[in-house]
């Protein structure tokens, strides 16, 4: 018969995750600040793009989050490719709510200088494809 406290794969025991009140606590987050910031940004960008899609707005992620240069302190850049006229400039509140304090920029494709538009589209990605 085996006695003692069960041990998890990581070597921790249930007691090591108990706080003073006897409640389970989450193990510490071992990600770097950049990894944690990026994970929050990806989740927020996905939520924002989904919420915008429900309003009839099409948006893609561009900038550092799309091309792998995202670091701690980076902002999230969304490229709006289609937006009902009555919603233009009114969607920033939706994005802000979804990103939970992460700085962001909303770029409207129809306002990008013609010669720069292909570059924006080439670098933009669907939020569902962010890893």
């Amino acid at each position: 018969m085996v006695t003692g406290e069960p041990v998890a794969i990581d070597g921790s025991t249930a007691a090591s995750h108990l706080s003073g009140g006897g409640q389970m606590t989450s193990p510490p987050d071992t990600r770097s600040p950049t990894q944690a910031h990026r994970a929050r940004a990806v989740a927020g960008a996905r939520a924002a793009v989904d919420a915008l899609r429900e309003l009839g707005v099409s948006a893609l992620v561009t900038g550092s989050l799309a091309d792998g240069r995202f670091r701690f302190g980076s902002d999230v850049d969304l490229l709006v490719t289609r937006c009902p006229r009555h919603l233009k400039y009114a969607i920033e509140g939706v994005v802000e709510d979804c990103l939970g304090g992460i700085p962001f920029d909303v770029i409207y494709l129809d306002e990008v200088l013609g010669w720069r538009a292909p570059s924006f589209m080439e670098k933009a990605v669907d939020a569902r494809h962010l890893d």
Side-chain angles (χ1 to χ4, degrees), residues 13-82:
T13 63
S16 69
H17 293 290
L18 291 178
S19 65
Q23 300 215 346
M24 295 292 285
T25 59
S26 298
D29 188 349
T30 58
R31 298 177 295 185
S32 73
T34 295
Q35 291 169 324
H37 183 59
R38 186 178 190 291
R40 283 184 54 232
V42 167
R46 286 180 178 151
V49 169
D50 288 346
L52 294 175
R53 187 178 302 115
E54 289 181 20
L55 297 172
V57 176
S58 295
L60 299 168
V61 178
T62 191
S64 62
L65 189 58
D67 67 17
R69 296 178 295 114
F70 195 83
R71 301 288 178 257
F72 185 76
S74 292
D75 67 351
V76 173
D77 300 304
L78 295 179
L79 178 64
V80 175
T81 58
R82 188 184 75 233

Side-chain angles (χ1 to χ4, degrees), residues 40-41 43-46 48 76 78 94-104:
R40 283 184 54 232
R46 286 180 178 151
V76 173
L78 295 179
V94 172
V95 175
E96 184 174 23
D97 290 345
C98 292
L99 288 173
I102 297 174
F104 67 91

